[in-house]
Amino acid sequence: MRYASTGTASAQKESLRPQNHYDLFPASLPSGPPPNGSFHVDPTTLRKEFIQLQAKAHPDRHHGADKAKAEAASARINDAYKTLLNPLARARYLLSLRGVEMSEDESIAGSPSDMAEGNLDASLLMDVMEVREGIEEAGSRDEIEEMKAENNKRKKASEDRLDELFKAGDIEAARLEAVKLGYWVNVGTALEGWEKAGDGRVSEHD
């Protein structure tokens, strides 16, 4: 009786392991998800590999049964790309890999238990309220641009913190940090909404 070598058995076991989104982008994310890889993603590199993968999997390049497989592969690549490109969606996905499911609403405002048990920092909620009041009272695009710059710094700090927490394996703290990031993403959406609405307001330099 012949036995497979340890190396062969290991390779076969690895091939049977379910693919995660990171497995689809080996060139952009060779180390995989945290803790081995980084939470951060290079958007330019990721998009380049995404375009290459979609070109190979494009349904028009396949026929018959292969066409259906290509359509499924293309859809999965697209979903993985959108998830990994967006920091908040990426954080939710990484949490799901660790058995923690967060709805989109929960990642933006936290769960009811977070609010009831005081898991969210009161100062965070106060800061968010102040920024929202500032958006409502803003009278020029210059004020909004200044708020956007500050909010981008907050989001970057939150993403850096998520990188640290996922690498350390502190999943509960990462979940709460994802909620924090959700608040700032929501603020960013409000800032973008102010600009799109316009309301006839002009820049101080106009």
Side-chain angles (χ1 to χ4, degrees):
M1 181 180 293
R2 297 180 61 186
Y3 293 91
S5 66
T6 302
T8 301
S10 177
Q12 290 175 338
K13 184 177 181 180
E14 183 69 15
S15 67
L16 294 174
R17 178 175 63 86
Q19 279 191 322
N20 62 50
H21 288 351
Y22 286 75
D23 293 329
L24 299 177
F25 296 91
S28 308
L29 307 165
S31 298
N36 294 328
S38 172
F39 173 75
H40 299 297
V41 167
D42 181 350
T44 302
T45 304
L46 187 68
R47 177 162 181 76
K48 181 179 179 180
E49 187 170 12
F50 166 69
I51 292 173
Q52 293 172 341
L53 290 171
Q54 283 290 37
K56 293 179 181 177
H58 198 288
D60 289 347
R61 299 185 59 180
H62 304 271
H63 305 280
D66 288 340
K67 186 177 182 69
K69 292 179 181 179
E71 289 174 346
S74 179
R76 185 171 181 203
I77 291 168
N78 190 54
D79 179 58
Y81 173 70
K82 288 182 178 179
T83 299
L84 295 174
L85 187 65
N86 182 301
L88 182 56
R90 190 188 320 139
R92 286 203 307 266
Y93 177 70
L94 287 172
L95 288 168
S96 74
L97 291 180
R98 290 158 178 78
V100 179
E101 298 294 339
M102 288 182 72
S103 67
E104 188 169 348
D105 289 341
E106 184 181 348
S107 65
I108 292 175
S111 67
S113 62
D114 287 330
M115 307 296 274
E117 297 170 12
N119 292 334
L120 296 176
D121 189 346
S123 63
L124 166 65
L125 303 180
M126 289 297 294
D127 288 344
V128 172
M129 288 178 61
E130 288 180 9
V131 174
R132 285 193 165 279
E133 288 174 3
I135 296 173
E136 292 177 3
E137 296 171 1
S140 72
R141 185 168 286 105
D142 292 321
E143 291 179 67
I144 292 297
E145 287 298 326
E146 186 174 336
M147 287 187 221
K148 283 177 65 175
E150 287 300 315
N151 197 56
N152 286 338
K153 290 179 183 178
R154 296 187 193 100
K155 289 191 292 184
K156 177 64 166 58
S158 191
E159 291 168 24
D160 288 343
R161 181 63 177 150
L162 281 167
D163 184 47
E164 296 172 1
L165 293 170
F166 277 121
K167 284 181 178 177
D170 194 339
I171 303 307
E172 175 57 15
R175 184 185 71 80
L176 291 174
E177 189 63 41
V179 172
K180 184 176 181 180
L181 175 59
Y183 272 106
W184 299 130
V185 167
N186 213 17
V187 166
T189 300
L191 288 165
E192 293 293 339
W194 188 100
E195 289 192 319
K196 289 179 180 179
D199 294 336
R201 290 170 283 200
V202 297
S203 167
E204 294 172 3
H205 301 298
D206 289 348

